[in-house]
């Protein structure tokens, strides 16, 4: 039906039952369940939940045994770091933690697709992408303890600081990518591209849509990487959209694609393609990584209050790490010594993270003044001196009280 002939359906004055009361056919039920649990017919998948390698006509990938083992190692170590962050928050070492459990394949696949010259803009859950950009997990702890906003250099790492405001990173990424276009850094395989990460819930924020409008108008080399983990805190996906998220891209005039977010090979292949499109000047592109949040939204959330246990159990069968492990074993690409070595490395990482967090110093009080401006203003300097003098007064009173 053409748009000019489209009208919103109504049941008023009609003899038939409303659409919501109509009994679906068996085929419709099966199709609906498949779209919900598997991502639908348009899902790009290269590795099944059973660890079987399958081909795709448009997004196949040639990858070595060693690279497969590296992807497995990445996911195992990132998951262990995530679990330690969760445990450290429960022990009072961190104020909050944002788990990524279940989304390792989406993040590692996309993160490893980025080239050194590319730029990445995260939200607050992209611990796996941070790992791929050389950010040690210890550098995330200050954010979640509340002592800093991130200790890495975004220019050197090509990885922006975490963004807490939902969807705001998309506008920042759009502006950066527009700059890449204006500076002539696109148009060949060695060009630059930008990738921005956000969740399905963020697609209800105006910042995300404004970013898509600006990126489309200016052909910005920007890959919108939406990790659809099915839940925007306590709101399910069906409360966010009436169409699959990847189909929204057509409304802005650029391509959208849905990938199995629990398949690290598919995530890597599709992300490589999208970034290459942007480097060549054919951006932007929207990727919907169809995955599932296996843990709480944050450590302050209780998912048992709004979702069923059997839903989580069904997604456990699609675990991204286990499917790659099964594939490595089935194809004899890795032996037990390799898996034991990765597990031992994960144990060492966990011990190092715990030690760092337990001995992590509190920043001095003057820190709140030191990172405000690139060049300190006289007003800020005066405020710092007044504040430090005020704090020193408490020490003087304590000493005087001790003498008495």
């Amino acid at each position: 039906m053409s748009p000019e002939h489209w009208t919103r359906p109504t049941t008023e004055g009609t003899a038939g039952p409303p659409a919501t009361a109509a009994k679906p056919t068996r085929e419709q039920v099966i199709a609906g369940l498949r779209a919900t649990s598997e991502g639908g017919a348009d899902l790009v998948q290269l590795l099944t939940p059973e660890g079987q390698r399958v081909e795709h006509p448009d997004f196949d990938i040639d990858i070595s045994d060693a690279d497969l083992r590296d992807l497995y190692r990445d996911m195992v170590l990132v998951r262990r770091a995530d679990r330690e962050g969760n445990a450290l928050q429960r022990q009072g070492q961190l104020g909050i933690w944002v788990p990524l459990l279940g989304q390792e394949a989406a993040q590692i696949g996309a993160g490893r697709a980025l080239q050194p010259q590319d730029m990445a803009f995260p939200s607050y859950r992209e611990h796996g992408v941070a790992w791929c950009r050389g950010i040690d997990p210890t550098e995330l702890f200050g954010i979640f303890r509340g002592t800093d906003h991130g200790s890495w250099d975004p220019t050197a790492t090509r990885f922006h600081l975490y963004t807490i405001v939902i969807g705001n990173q998309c506008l920042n990424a759009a502006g950066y990518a527009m700059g890449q276009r204006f500076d002539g850094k696109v148009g060949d395989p060695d060009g630059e591209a930008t990738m921005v990460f956000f969740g399905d819930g963020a697609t209800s924020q105006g910042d995300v849509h404004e970013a898509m409008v600006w990126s489309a108008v200016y052909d910005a080399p920007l890959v919108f990487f939406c990790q659809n983990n099915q839940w925007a805190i306590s709101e399910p996906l069906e409360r966010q959209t009436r169409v699959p998220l990847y189909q929204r891209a057509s409304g802005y005039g650029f391509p959208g694609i849905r990938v199995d977010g629990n398949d690290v090979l598919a995530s890597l292949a599709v992300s490589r393609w999208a970034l290459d499109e942007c480097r060549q000047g054919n951006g932007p592109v929207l990727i919907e990584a169809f995955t599932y949040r296996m843990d709480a939204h944050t450590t302050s959330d209780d998912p048992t209050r709004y979702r069923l246990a059997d839903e989580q159990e069904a997604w456990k069968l699609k675990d991204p790490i286990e499917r790659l492990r099964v594939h490595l074993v089935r194809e004899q690409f890795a032996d037990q010594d390799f898996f034991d070595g990765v597990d031992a490395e994960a144990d060492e990482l966990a011990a190092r993270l715990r030690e760092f967090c337990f001995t992590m110093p509190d920043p001095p009080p003057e820190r709140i003044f030191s990172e405000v401006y690139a060049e300190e203003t006289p007003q800020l300097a005066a405020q710092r001196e007044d504040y430090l003098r005020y704090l020193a007064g408490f020490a003087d009173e304590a000493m005087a009280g001790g003498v008495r």
Side-chain angles (χ1 to χ4, degrees), residues 178-188 191-192 279:
M178 288 166 60
Q180 290 173 315
R181 163 68 70 176
F182 296 154
D183 290 343
K185 295 182 178 180
V186 298
D188 60 72
E192 293 185 8
R279 293 190 197 99

Side-chain angles (χ1 to χ4, degrees), residues 95-380:
I96 196 173
W97 183 253
V98 184
L100 63 70
L101 185 65
Q103 299 178 218
E104 296 88 356
Q107 293 193 16
I108 295 300
R112 289 305 179 196
L114 289 162
Q115 293 296 317
Q117 72 271 21
D118 296 332
M119 187 67 182
F121 284 79
S123 62
Y124 45 72
R125 198 186 302 273
E126 276 67 56
H127 318 322
V129 185
W131 174 270
C132 294
R133 299 309 268 177
I135 309 298
D136 191 84
T138 56
E139 297 189 74
L140 305 176
F141 285 169
I143 303 172
F144 297 105
R145 183 176 279 192
T147 58
D148 61 57
H149 299 296
S151 59
W152 62 89
D153 182 351
T155 302
T157 60
R158 310 294 288 171
F159 185 75
H160 198 268
L161 298 176
Y162 273 19
T163 301
I164 307 302
V165 179
I166 306 297
N168 181 251
Q169 70 274 15
C170 292
L171 276 178
N172 299 333
Y176 189 93
M178 288 166 60
Q180 290 173 315
R181 163 68 70 176
F182 296 154
D183 290 343
K185 295 182 178 180
V186 298
D188 60 72
D190 297 324
E192 293 185 8
T194 295
M195 181 175 276
V196 60
F197 298 85
F198 55 100
D200 49 293
T203 62
S204 294
Q205 296 290 330
D207 285 4
V208 175
H209 297 280
E210 291 176 25
M212 291 183 178
V213 170
W214 283 93
S215 298
V217 169
Y218 285 93
D219 296 324
L222 179 57
V223 177
F224 291 92
F225 194 92
C226 176
Q227 294 173 84
N228 176 9
N229 62 22
Q230 313 303 316
W231 289 93
I233 308 184
S234 58
E235 293 296 327
L237 181 63
E238 57 264 26
R239 296 237 181 138
Q240 304 292 324
T241 181
R242 301 181 90 184
V243 300
L245 294 177
Y246 75 97
Q247 293 183 6
R248 286 184 169 183
S250 62
Y252 300 98
F254 55 84
I257 183 169
R258 174 181 276 183
V259 65
D260 185 344
N262 285 21
D263 176 357
V264 68
L265 296 187
S267 295
L268 176 63
V270 169
S271 296
R272 279 180 177 174
W273 166 81
L275 288 164
D276 285 342
E277 283 289 291
C278 288
R279 293 190 197 99
Q280 296 281 6
N282 300 324
V285 176
L286 169 62
I287 298 175
E288 178 194 354
F290 200 82
T291 182
Y292 190 79
R293 169 166 57 80
M294 294 299 294
D295 206 341
H297 176 72
T298 70
T299 48
S300 62
D301 171 44
D302 179 9
T304 64
R305 300 184 64 181
Y306 56 81
R307 70 184 188 190
L308 300 175
D310 59 351
E311 177 182 297
Q312 183 174 348
E313 291 301 315
W315 277 91
K316 282 183 179 179
L317 300 176
K318 304 173 185 180
D319 182 83
I321 295 178
E322 187 60 26
R323 74 169 66 181
L324 182 54
R325 179 188 178 96
V326 170
H327 178 69
L328 290 171
V329 172
R330 173 180 292 167
E331 301 299 326
Q332 298 182 353
F333 292 156
D335 56 19
Q336 191 59 46
D337 288 342
F338 166 76
F339 294 118
D340 291 343
V342 172
D343 290 342
E345 189 175 359
D347 290 340
E348 293 174 3
L349 173 63
R352 180 170 66 83
L353 296 181
R354 287 195 300 272
E355 176 64 21
F356 175 87
C357 198
F358 288 141
T359 59
M360 191 175 171
D362 293 328
E366 60 268 22
R367 169 70 178 274
I368 62 176
F369 298 94
S370 63
E371 305 295 334
V372 180
Y373 298 112
E375 297 181 6
E376 186 179 67
T377 64
Q379 294 87 350
L380 186 65

